[in-house]
Amino acid sequence: MHQQYPVSRFLLLSIVLIFSCQAPPPIETSKNNKQPWAIALHGGAGTLSRTLMTPEREAAYRAALDTALMIGETVLKNGGSSLDAVSQTIIYLEDCPLFNAGRGAVFNHEGKNELDASIMDGSTQKAGAVGSVSVVKNPILLARAVMEHSPHVLLTGRGAEQFAREQGIQTIEPSWFFTQERWNTLQDALKEEARENGKHGGIFKNSDFKFGTVGCVALDQHGHLAAGTSTGGMTNKRWNRLGDTPLVGAGTYADDDVVAVSCTGHGEYFIRYAVAHDVWARMAYQNLSVQEAGNRVIMQKLKEKGGEGGLIAVDKNGNVTMPFNSEGMYRAYANPDTRKIAIYQE
Ligand code: ASP
């Protein structure tokens, strides 16, 4: 039996409820949200000596950067998450044979492609990464699955590939990653190594085809930051060498309260100096702007130590910086007011 309330008690209850209830939280939609958004991406700090760059080649790179940027912009403009913007932009760059990630990755000493990637969610500071995978079409997707569907941060080699299969992530014949240009670069590297009696320890240094990693950082309309990076590593690498790309804090870092960072360059230096985290630390502890922090790390510290490369970073307010100490860095950024694509120093 339902209890009957007299009308006067019902009225009293309604009045109490009206005056004691707080306003419901506003519904978050892309239309009523006033947060700015911003995105930056890179296609590496190598393969771009001006002497080798033809107008056609430059046009191809610019077109690819433009498409990648548009993919990320579209996600953010429509109120999508920074994680989706970063993942989708990097998937495109991995599938594009111009860049050293996914299809078009450089070859290791044995003539194989070993791919590394990482991603970090600034809102939870969760991260996922994979190293030395050779049959995963889009390593950034696997890194994201590690973050979202495993209790771990970094998986490598066969175990990572087994996890990919269990997660239904696309695997592919290793020949998918082959490009003639990267193959030729390995042959040059092997010849040079033989001439130098293996002096470079398996890492090819004297080439214009050094760093081509891809990366993306984004701030979405909900105030969340994310960063991701993906690479084939360095030509003629050996012994399952991993660079900075799959290492959170070295190649990738994101924290909603501060900044999102993605790096490219000579990975050994980026690991030693924890470059991505160093940018975060200088901003968090020294109160530096993203521009100042990025410059001090790349143009001062890393340069003094002999480390070549660059980074892209976006802070919690949407400010973007893209410093590099190499000849150039394929890069692009956009926010609601600006759009820019660049390769060399300007
Ligand atoms: N940082 C990458 C690595 O050392 C290379 C690159 O940026 O192209 O593996």
Side-chain angles (χ1 to χ4, degrees):
M1 277 259 296
H2 292 287
Q3 200 177 345
Q4 300 286 320
Y5 285 101
V7 175
S8 57
R9 274 180 87 180
F10 177 74
L11 268 178
L12 185 69
L13 190 66
S14 308
I15 290 164
V16 169
L17 277 175
I18 287 167
F19 286 101
S20 67
C21 282
Q22 291 184 342
I27 298 166
E28 216 173 33
T29 69
S30 57
K31 285 195 184 102
N32 69 8
N33 212 315
K34 298 212 174 66
Q35 277 278 347
W37 56 267
I39 183 166
L41 62 90
H42 69 76
T47 76
L48 40 52
S49 164
R50 278 186 201 266
T51 50
L52 292 178
M53 185 65 89
T54 61
E56 295 75 33
R57 205 175 155 83
E58 185 167 337
Y61 274 105
R62 283 184 177 274
L65 292 170
D66 185 48
T67 306
L69 189 63
M70 208 178 62
I71 290 169
E73 277 175 293
T74 305
V75 173
L76 296 173
K77 273 182 198 166
N78 290 331
S81 73
S82 51
L83 265 185
D84 285 343
V86 165
S87 311
Q88 290 184 27
T89 303
I90 292 181
I91 288 170
Y92 170 79
L93 291 166
E94 285 177 338
D95 288 343
C96 176
L98 290 173
F99 302 101
N100 171 22
R103 191 177 202 188
V106 297
F107 286 93
N108 70 7
H109 188 70
E110 289 79 31
K112 297 200 171 109
N113 305 107
E114 290 176 328
L115 313 171
D116 312 325
S118 65
I119 193 161
M120 189 158 182
D121 177 351
S123 64
T124 57
Q125 292 218 268
K126 284 187 172 176
V130 293
S132 289
V133 293
S134 15
V135 295
V136 177
K137 180 172 169 278
N138 293 109
I140 196 70
L141 279 181
L142 183 55
R144 187 161 171 182
V146 172
M147 175 173 78
E148 291 176 342
H149 305 299
S150 93
H152 306 299
V153 171
L154 173 58
L155 301 182
T156 60
R158 283 202 202 145
E161 291 172 352
Q162 185 186 331
F163 180 70
R165 290 190 189 95
E166 285 172 17
Q167 290 293 315
I169 288 181
Q170 189 178 3
T171 55
I172 207 156
E173 282 300 307
S175 57
W176 161 259
F177 301 109
F178 181 92
T179 55
Q180 191 62 47
E181 191 172 340
R182 304 290 192 204
W183 183 256
N184 296 345
T185 306
L186 174 66
Q187 305 318 307
D188 292 346
L190 291 171
K191 275 186 221 144
E192 181 164 325
E193 192 177 59
R195 267 200 307 272
E196 306 261 325
N197 293 325
K199 203 170 128 202
H200 293 315
I203 299 293
F204 187 44
K205 278 174 144 184
N206 297 338
S207 167
D208 279 311
F209 296 90
K210 285 186 287 192
F211 319 122
T213 295
V214 306
C216 182
V217 292
L219 170 70
D220 65 31
Q221 294 190 39
H222 314 288
H224 298 313
L225 288 167
T229 316
S230 181
T231 192
M234 290 176 85
T235 299
N236 199 20
K237 63 186 181 181
R238 289 170 102 162
W239 310 301
N240 290 119
R241 176 261 187 195
L242 295 175
D244 56 316
T245 303
L247 300 184
V248 171
T252 303
Y253 203 71
D255 172 2
D256 269 12
D257 292 335
V258 185
V259 68
V261 185
S262 168
C263 301
T264 175
H266 195 152
E268 280 66 13
Y269 289 86
F270 284 71
I271 295 172
R272 285 182 202 132
Y273 302 109
V275 166
H277 189 266
D278 193 10
V279 173
W280 175 91
R282 287 170 195 253
M283 293 177 68
Y285 301 141
Q286 294 187 318
N287 222 6
L288 295 187
S289 69
V290 66
Q291 198 159 18
E292 186 77 8
N295 273 344
R296 288 204 193 165
V297 174
I298 295 293
M299 311 308 286
Q300 290 178 17
K301 181 161 183 181
L302 208 66
K303 203 169 174 186
E304 279 161 21
K305 303 288 181 187
E308 195 181 341
L311 60 80
I312 52 171
V314 56
D315 73 10
K316 63 176 179 177
N317 299 314
N319 299 305
V320 169
T321 191
M322 306 194 284
F324 55 94
N325 63 32
S326 43
E327 188 170 356
M329 180 169 81
Y330 298 106
R331 61 201 189 278
Y333 82 92
N335 60 32
D337 309 316
T338 329
R339 203 168 189 282
K340 191 171 171 69
I341 292 164
I343 300 179
Y344 299 103
Q345 207 71 253
E346 304 199 323

